[in-house]
Amino acid sequence: MITQVWQWLTSASSWEGSAGIGHRLLQHLEYSAITVLIASALAIPLGLWIGHTGRGRWMVTAANSLRAVPSLGLLFAVALWLGPKLHGNSAYVVPSIVVLVVLAIPPLLAGAYAGVAGVDPAARDAAHGMGMTEGQVLLQVEVPCALPLMLSGVRSATLQVIATATIASAVSLGGLGRFLIDGLALGEYNVMAGGAIVVALLALGVDTVLAALQAAVVSPGLSGGTSRFRGRRTRTDRGQPTASENEPGVVGVVAKG
């Protein structure tokens, strides 16, 4: 089986055409990107507003309850209700995107809300004391401090969308899930295994990119990063010893001083 899977993954014919790995991979990325963008446009501003004002917290709880809804069951329900009202390829794409957006909203909303709600009240008070408006406090103080949790929510939602878009192929959506559905129907288990591997690699690759983006945009002070020069001085400005004086050769110098 492993040999057959490897042969399928490395075969040039497996990557060619509209049913090849390359085309299906681009489809999967397209559906996932559209879903995350729509869900972010809906959930992140709402989460920021809830965290800033403290109102409507019930919406976060209600959104989190959606995580208990079976993804496949919701997918079939929306497809049976919305599909007949649409025509052409949109009859398959739109219901799937709607379900994926619904499932992506909870982590995005929770991340934005928790990030803003967890900002140190002293930072807000200082901003208000400087004469900032509520909008300026939100955008210039709270959002930068909330970035770690917000981006964690984006990463969680993106991985969930990539995984759920695979089973959305059960209602004739394209993407990498077609390899699993068609492979099962035709008894080509090497194709099923190969498709699953490609989905896993895609999820790992996207998460790595998002992690690098998060590390680049989040302040080291918020992410827990420290300067490599921290603790190198032997005395503070007040002339008191520091922890670095425990290094070899430093204790004696301090004692003489």
Side-chain angles (χ1 to χ4, degrees):
M1 173 64 75
I2 296 178
T3 302
Q4 294 176 342
V5 172
W6 177 253
Q7 290 176 349
W8 180 78
L9 287 172
T10 57
S11 174
S13 59
S14 299
W15 291 82
E16 298 173 350
S18 58
I21 298 175
H23 182 72
R24 297 296 190 194
L25 180 62
L26 292 177
Q27 276 186 327
H28 207 97
L29 285 172
E30 180 183 1
Y31 296 145
S32 301
I34 292 173
T35 298
V36 173
L37 287 176
I38 295 175
S40 297
L42 296 173
I44 291 180
L46 181 60
L48 295 178
W49 177 80
I50 296 173
H52 178 72
T53 63
R55 304 172 185 172
R57 294 176 182 173
W58 63 269
M59 288 186 281
V60 180
T61 304
N64 284 330
S65 67
L66 294 175
R67 301 189 183 195
V69 178
S71 303
L72 191 59
L74 181 62
L75 181 65
F76 278 113
V78 175
L80 291 174
W81 170 66
L82 194 58
K85 302 178 182 180
L86 303 172
H87 303 283
N89 192 44
S90 61
Y92 308 112
V93 175
V94 173
S96 300
I97 295 296
V98 169
V99 172
L100 292 175
V101 167
V102 170
L103 297 176
I105 283 178
L108 291 168
L109 182 62
Y113 160 72
V116 173
V119 174
D120 189 349
R124 293 193 185 95
D125 294 339
H128 285 128
M130 295 174 62
M132 287 187 176
T133 64
E134 291 297 326
Q136 290 174 328
V137 172
L138 175 62
L139 297 178
Q140 299 181 25
V141 177
E142 293 177 334
V143 170
C145 292
L147 272 180
L149 285 178
M150 288 175 57
L151 293 178
S152 294
V154 172
R155 290 174 61 183
S156 177
T158 302
L159 293 180
Q160 181 171 350
V161 168
I162 290 175
T164 309
T166 304
I167 65 173
S169 298
V171 293
S172 299
L173 185 72
L176 296 173
R178 295 307 317 170
F179 296 125
L180 279 71
I181 302 299
D182 296 341
L184 179 62
L186 299 175
E188 297 178 348
Y189 301 111
N190 61 318
V191 176
M192 288 184 62
I197 291 174
V198 176
V199 172
L201 292 176
L202 174 63
L204 290 174
V206 171
D207 188 56
T208 300
V209 172
L210 293 177
L213 177 63
Q214 180 174 347
V217 301
V218 175
S219 171
L222 296 174
S223 61
T226 56
S227 172
R228 61 180 178 176
F229 298 104
R230 182 178 178 181
R232 296 302 300 173
R233 294 183 300 172
T234 59
R235 294 177 182 271
T236 63
D237 294 337
R238 300 175 63 181
Q240 299 298 323
T242 64
S244 62
E245 292 169 357
N246 293 327
E247 297 177 359
V250 177
V251 175
V253 175
V254 176
K256 292 179 181 180

